[in-house]
Amino acid sequence: MGLAYRRSILTPLRLVLLAVIMASAGVAVTKADKFTIRWSPNANYTDWDQKNNNSVHVGDWLVFQYTANQADVIQVNQSGFNTCDASNPITNYSKGRSYAIQLNEARPYYFICSLGYCYGGMKLAVVAHPLPPPSPPPAPSVSLAIAGVKPPVGSFVAAAVTALVLFRFLVT
């Protein structure tokens, strides 16, 4: 078999190998959390954020579950929250039995029920915190040390160096 045939087989193999290496050395991905809130007139939500250890982050979801026609979810500003005033809502949701909202910014979010239950504590203030920094990259691979390569600074560099060493091995 000729060199051209061998290289045409190796090219897809190189791409697969590179994809595997890059995926294994990839950047940490943060998974969004979902917080389910049983939105009920008989509950007081004033310390919900502290009970959840202030663990709400940008990208997380709040899912309000309530009884149809007995509650609504009104997103308001801080003033509307403090006075239970739903006259200038940011969002207003009263259909169905649940409402989900993704927290897309690092800031406080305020929610009330406009059916009179806010005065009894049916209001929620949540602070979406910035995402924590990614964890540090893993220690350099032993195979790089054996190959005589100095440990790279980042995981991307490690993946690139490993790929080059392997590609060189596959071509020869």
Side-chain angles (χ1 to χ4, degrees), residues 19-152:
V20 169
I21 291 169
M22 296 306 287
S24 66
V27 177
V29 176
T30 304
K31 179 180 165 246
D33 289 325
K34 179 179 90 170
F35 295 91
T36 301
I37 300 149
R38 309 263 184 247
W39 199 233
S40 169
N42 301 323
N44 187 327
Y45 301 93
T46 55
D47 61 349
W48 182 90
D49 203 28
Q50 285 75 31
K51 286 182 182 177
N52 286 288
N53 299 318
N54 297 310
S55 60
V56 179
H57 294 96
V58 172
D60 288 347
W61 289 85
L62 298 181
V63 180
F64 293 85
Q65 294 182 338
Y66 55 89
T67 304
N69 302 320
Q70 292 185 4
D72 60 6
V73 180
I74 310 296
Q75 183 181 0
V76 294
N77 61 20
Q78 186 176 11
S79 175
F81 176 81
N82 292 335
T83 61
C84 291
D85 181 10
S87 62
N88 292 312
I90 296 170
T91 61
N92 179 345
Y93 196 82
S94 60
K95 297 179 181 176
R97 296 183 301 162
S98 67
Y99 172 65
I101 181 169
Q102 187 173 28
L103 308 176
N104 293 321
E105 296 178 41
R107 65 176 179 86
Y109 290 81
Y110 302 97
F111 303 93
I112 65 172
C113 177
S114 71
L115 303 180
Y117 300 118
C118 178
Y119 298 105
M122 196 171 172
K123 60 184 188 174
L124 174 68
V126 175
V127 177
H129 299 283
L131 290 171
S135 57
S141 170
V142 175
S143 63
L144 290 177
I146 293 171
V149 178
K150 291 184 179 181

